[in-house]
Amino acid sequence: MGKTRREFTPEYKDEAVKLVINTSRAIATVARELGINEASLGRWVRAFKARNDTGETGFTESERAELLRLRKENADLKLDRAFLRKASIFLAQEASDTSAKRSN
């Protein structure tokens, strides 16, 4: 049977890359200590170095994940706001209809 594929959060990847870069330890050593595949950690480190060597001021993996989360939350809040606007208009119309009936 095959192994189940593990998924790592962007924050975890960033921390693993920082261990390699900041401590100047070998990728193999850090990968063994963390219990992850050496090739995976090597890809993460290469991607990090490529982003930083090109002068790209892009986001880290954790910042990118937070940006996606915030965009989703923003879209949800816009939907909520639109619903509440429509509900308030409906209730205002109901109130004016009711008061018009009472005055007759």
Side-chain angles (χ1 to χ4, degrees):
M1 249 196 249
K3 294 182 180 180
T4 58
R5 185 178 179 138
R6 294 183 350 189
E7 292 189 22
F8 300 98
T9 64
E11 293 84 7
Y12 184 86
K13 290 178 183 181
D14 285 344
E15 291 300 319
V17 168
K18 287 176 187 175
L19 280 175
V20 172
I21 293 174
N22 294 340
T23 63
S24 301
R25 291 188 292 181
I27 291 173
T29 305
V30 174
R32 207 173 313 113
E33 290 173 0
L34 296 176
I36 59 177
N37 189 318
E38 181 180 335
S40 297
L41 182 56
R43 271 194 312 275
W44 301 344
V45 171
R46 278 192 304 279
F48 177 82
K49 286 181 179 179
R51 281 194 312 266
N52 291 332
D53 288 344
T54 60
E56 181 182 322
T57 58
F59 301 114
T60 63
E61 291 293 324
S62 60
E63 290 172 331
R64 197 170 293 123
E66 182 179 10
L67 180 61
L68 289 173
R69 181 188 62 78
L70 290 172
R71 284 182 176 166
K72 182 183 180 322
E73 183 180 340
N74 190 28
D76 290 344
L77 291 171
K78 284 181 179 180
L79 286 174
D80 289 349
R81 183 173 172 244
F83 172 78
L84 291 173
R85 187 179 324 121
K86 289 177 184 178
S88 65
I89 291 170
F90 175 77
L91 292 174
Q93 287 174 347
E94 285 289 314
S96 65
D97 291 345
T98 307
S99 63
K101 288 179 184 177
R102 287 184 194 159
S103 62
N104 289 339

